[in-house]
Amino acid sequence: MSRSAHPAGPRHGDVLPEGHFTAPPADLNLLDPKVWSATVRRTDAGSVTVGGIDVRDLAEQFGTPAYVMDEQDFRARCRAWREAFGTGADVYYAGKAFLSRAVVRWLHEEGLNVDVCSGGELTVALSAGMPAERIAFHGNNKSKAELEYAVKSGVGHIVVDSYDELVRLSWIAQQQGVRQQILIRVTVGVEAHTHEFIATAHEDQKFGLSLSGGHAAEAVRRALTLDGLELRGIHSHIGSQIFDTAGFEVAARRVVGLLAEIKAEHGVELPEIDLGGGLGIAYTSDDDPREPAEIAGSLTEIVRRECAAADLTPPRISVEPGRAIVGPTAFTLYEVGTVKPLDGLRTYVSVDGGMSDNIRTALYDAEYSVALVSRASTAEPMLSRVVGKHCESGDIIVRDAFLPADLAPGDLIAVPATGAYCRSMASNYNHALKPPVVAVADGRSRVIVRRETEEDLLRLDIG
Ligand code: LLP
């Protein structure tokens, strides 16, 4: 097919249909550094490179779709978090955002710890050499087998989420003859301004023990008397993809308030608090995320001040960023398969992946950006919807975005900021094969998670 313009789709200046978009950008070739990883560049020849490698070479060598991860950017973000909090705090990378053995090694080298929330994540972290004492174990319904595995492995602490779990864990620790360090997860009653499915500190949801309902205090009472447990502190995670620091600040204040109550009731000063993850990232140029240093400064100061007022020794702080570290470091590289203009609406651009490699748009109405990366174009902006190849109309990757009107099958397009919660939430819907994760750094590329094959699918199907 020739690179002809598609006459039926809306263009610059047309009356546009309803949607989430703003005006088209002045130059579609520009790549906003807010949403693209640090080493992404458009070359003079027009194509895009990352870590010094042309995306066309990556597509040829590794195929599409593929997640392309910028190792240098990942490491820089780890360092930024560590430096922001300094030596008086611990940074646990939330493995649910994306976990692989290479990533665990990078985290280890950069001095971060890992938070896991399943036996599977724990296995990946341990198998890549993360010392068990630098791993925290989470979850609202950890199985008995997972708890036994975590205790036996010697994980640093387990974040307990219910009365049932307190008893279960106490029994398991006694069976194994150890005293397991724990934190208690509390619900601080903050309405985080984010999608309902990823807000976690309001009352009506499944996580934690409520502060206002007195359950947090009761869990502390029980934890202090149960054998096999050493209560180290309190944990709070208010939600995810949050831009406003106010919610974190209220949470910090309420957690310190609980520490003060615990001291008054039990004469015990708990030495740790974990304020969770949740810092938002830029998916489009309209998003304005906070920097780690900003959040570190305000949290550290609030904890210090509140502790001074309550006559408490300030506890050691830990945080659990996932998305803010890995999210911006990767993009998904797709090949365009079909370009279908719909009169008066928009142009549907179908790519070789879809909701199986990025479920976030369908699940949370997430917004993404997209760019043509195999070449530059001076064609008019064309209102587009990037869709996948799955058998449902909700299979949308980018709901509304502008792509050049000369877009054609065979072009490579990339969706930035897909490092978090895309590969980790990927599925085999329609027996799609999960894409590989390719790490690039300093002109070198390597697969860190290989593409699935049909043999992988058949290996599980033993019927
Ligand atoms: N700590 C705890 C206890 C968590 O539950 C989470 C995320 C994090 C830390 C890391 O949060 P982050 O810094 O990555 O926002 N699948 C959703 C996000 C679910 C988040 C679950 N918990 C999404 O794609 O937006």
Side-chain angles (χ1 to χ4, degrees):
M1 184 173 157
S2 71
R3 293 200 190 285
S4 64
H6 300 286
R11 299 293 156 66
H12 202 36
D14 286 357
V15 177
L16 296 172
E18 278 188 25
H20 295 225
F21 51 85
T22 49
D27 181 354
L28 288 176
N29 297 311
L30 290 181
L31 301 169
D32 185 347
K34 255 207 287 189
V35 296
W36 292 88
S37 73
T39 72
V40 166
R41 308 271 180 276
R42 193 177 288 278
T43 62
D44 293 343
S47 65
V48 167
T49 61
V50 54
I53 305 180
D54 196 299
V55 293
R56 292 170 304 177
D57 295 335
L58 292 172
E60 197 175 309
Q61 191 174 353
F62 304 109
T64 54
Y67 303 102
V68 180
M69 188 166 282
D70 186 336
E71 177 182 341
Q72 190 182 315
D73 195 17
F74 185 99
R75 287 179 181 272
R77 286 171 192 277
C78 290
R79 284 195 290 274
W81 276 89
R82 223 167 44 76
E83 283 159 18
F85 279 92
T87 50
D90 297 305
V91 182
Y92 286 79
Y93 167 78
K96 66 207 81 179
F98 172 71
L99 200 65
S100 79
R101 292 201 267 193
V103 157
V104 172
R105 283 191 288 270
W106 302 342
L107 292 166
H108 191 2
E109 285 163 16
E110 300 300 341
L112 267 65
N113 303 342
V114 187
D115 128 25
V116 301
C117 66
S118 70
E121 288 183 1
L122 179 56
T123 296
V124 173
L126 289 173
S127 75
M130 181 59 78
E133 64 274 14
R134 285 174 46 193
I135 300 176
F137 199 96
H138 271 281
N140 69 301
N141 186 20
K142 309 169 194 77
S143 70
K144 185 166 160 280
E146 284 176 320
L147 288 171
E148 282 168 350
Y149 176 27
V151 174
K152 197 165 158 207
S153 307
V155 300
H157 63 249
I158 295 178
V159 181
V160 175
D161 197 276
S162 65
Y163 296 136
D164 293 323
E165 191 177 71
L166 270 178
V167 176
R168 202 174 290 150
L169 185 57
S170 157
W171 184 81
I172 289 169
Q174 289 176 69
Q175 291 286 305
Q176 296 192 19
V178 297
R179 212 159 162 243
Q180 177 63 51
Q181 298 200 339
I182 62 165
L183 305 184
I184 288 177
R185 176 156 177 180
V186 305
T187 317
V188 292
V190 172
E191 297 281 341
H193 297 135
T194 187
H195 191 282
E196 181 196 345
F197 292 177
I198 53 177
T200 55
H202 53 299
E203 297 292 340
D204 191 0
Q205 48 81 35
K206 69 174 182 171
F207 293 107
L209 289 139
S210 152
L211 209 58
S212 66
H215 292 290
E218 176 58 22
V220 168
R221 256 169 237 131
R222 295 187 193 185
L224 288 172
T225 55
L226 282 165
D227 286 333
L229 303 181
E230 181 188 346
L231 178 61
R232 297 285 301 169
I234 300 298
H235 179 281
S236 153
H237 170 74
I238 60 170
S240 204
Q241 185 56 6
I242 298 167
F243 290 115
D244 181 5
T245 56
F248 296 110
E249 293 166 6
V250 173
R253 235 174 258 128
R254 293 190 182 163
V255 166
V256 175
L258 178 62
L259 294 187
E261 283 173 33
I262 294 167
K263 183 178 178 189
E265 182 177 341
H266 305 281
V268 172
E269 289 199 56
L270 296 182
E272 292 177 31
I273 59 173
D274 188 316
L275 297 170
L279 203 63
I281 62 164
Y283 285 100
T284 74
S285 298
D286 294 337
D287 294 328
D288 270 314
R290 309 270 74 82
E291 291 296 323
E294 199 181 329
I295 186 116
S298 83
L299 289 182
T300 314
E301 175 53 22
I302 284 171
V303 171
R304 197 198 54 74
R305 211 174 47 224
E306 299 286 311
C307 286
D311 195 22
L312 287 170
T313 313
R316 189 169 178 86
I317 298 176
S318 48
V319 287
E320 298 168 340
R323 187 192 319 264
I325 291 179
V326 70
T329 69
F331 58 79
T332 315
L333 188 60
Y334 300 104
E335 183 178 309
V336 174
T338 68
V339 179
K340 189 188 287 183
L342 298 192
D343 293 351
L345 291 170
R346 70 198 88 233
T347 296
Y348 277 73
V349 174
S350 293
V351 296
D352 47 359
M355 64 196 301
S356 54
D357 59 71
N358 186 349
I359 191 64
R360 299 194 66 261
T361 309
L363 196 54
Y364 315 115
D365 224 0
E367 291 182 27
Y368 281 93
S369 337
V370 60
L372 170 61
V373 289
S374 46
R375 62 184 173 91
S377 167
T378 52
E380 292 261 295
M382 165 178 82
L383 180 60
S384 308
R385 178 160 290 174
V386 180
V387 296
K389 56 185 291 170
H390 294 284
C391 293
E392 53 184 286
S393 43
D395 174 24
I396 296 170
I397 303 169
V398 187
R399 190 173 297 281
D400 291 300
F402 289 91
L403 282 164
D406 62 352
L407 194 76
D411 278 333
L412 297 175
I413 62 175
V415 174
T418 58
Y421 305 110
C422 286
R423 180 59 176 76
S424 67
M425 293 174 79
S427 78
N428 289 119
Y429 185 39
N430 298 143
H431 279 186
L433 304 171
K434 290 180 194 161
V437 182
V438 178
V440 295
D442 304 322
R444 289 191 315 277
S445 58
R446 71 187 173 105
V447 175
I448 58 170
V449 180
R450 74 159 166 76
R451 186 186 300 285
E452 274 184 336
T453 62
E454 285 173 3
E455 290 83 74
D456 290 327
L457 298 183
L458 290 178
R459 227 181 16 232
L460 299 175
D461 183 344
I462 56 172

